[in-house]
Amino acid sequence: MNLNRFRKDKARSEKRALGDSNAAKFGRTKSERTRDEMEQSAAERHLDGHRRDADPEDPKGDPA
């Protein structure tokens, strides 16, 4: 067997193993990402719904 090919195959398998371990640690499915995005947008809408409007008589425009 060609030694260069053996070395490349070994490096390729090591990279693959590292990638698989990273995917297990950090990877999320598309449905998980979508769920988290929807939860985040719902939380933002909830907070925006409770936001107090600025007092029109206040010159700084700070909420009352």
Side-chain angles (χ1 to χ4, degrees), residues 1-16:
M1 177 178 230
N2 188 346
L3 292 179
N4 284 331
R5 184 176 177 104
F6 176 75
R7 186 172 49 234
K8 287 180 182 181
D9 286 344
K10 182 179 177 185
R12 193 175 296 124
S13 67
E14 288 174 357
K15 283 185 180 183
R16 179 67 181 193

Side-chain angles (χ1 to χ4, degrees), residues 2-42:
N2 188 346
L3 292 179
N4 284 331
R5 184 176 177 104
F6 176 75
R7 186 172 49 234
K8 287 180 182 181
D9 286 344
K10 182 179 177 185
R12 193 175 296 124
S13 67
E14 288 174 357
K15 283 185 180 183
R16 179 67 181 193
L18 179 62
D20 289 343
S21 68
N22 283 340
K25 275 193 230 175
F26 304 109
R28 295 187 304 159
T29 64
K30 186 173 184 177
S31 62
E32 289 172 331
R33 288 191 306 265
T34 304
R35 183 197 65 222
D36 290 345
E37 289 172 7
M38 292 189 69
E39 288 176 355
Q40 179 67 28
S41 66

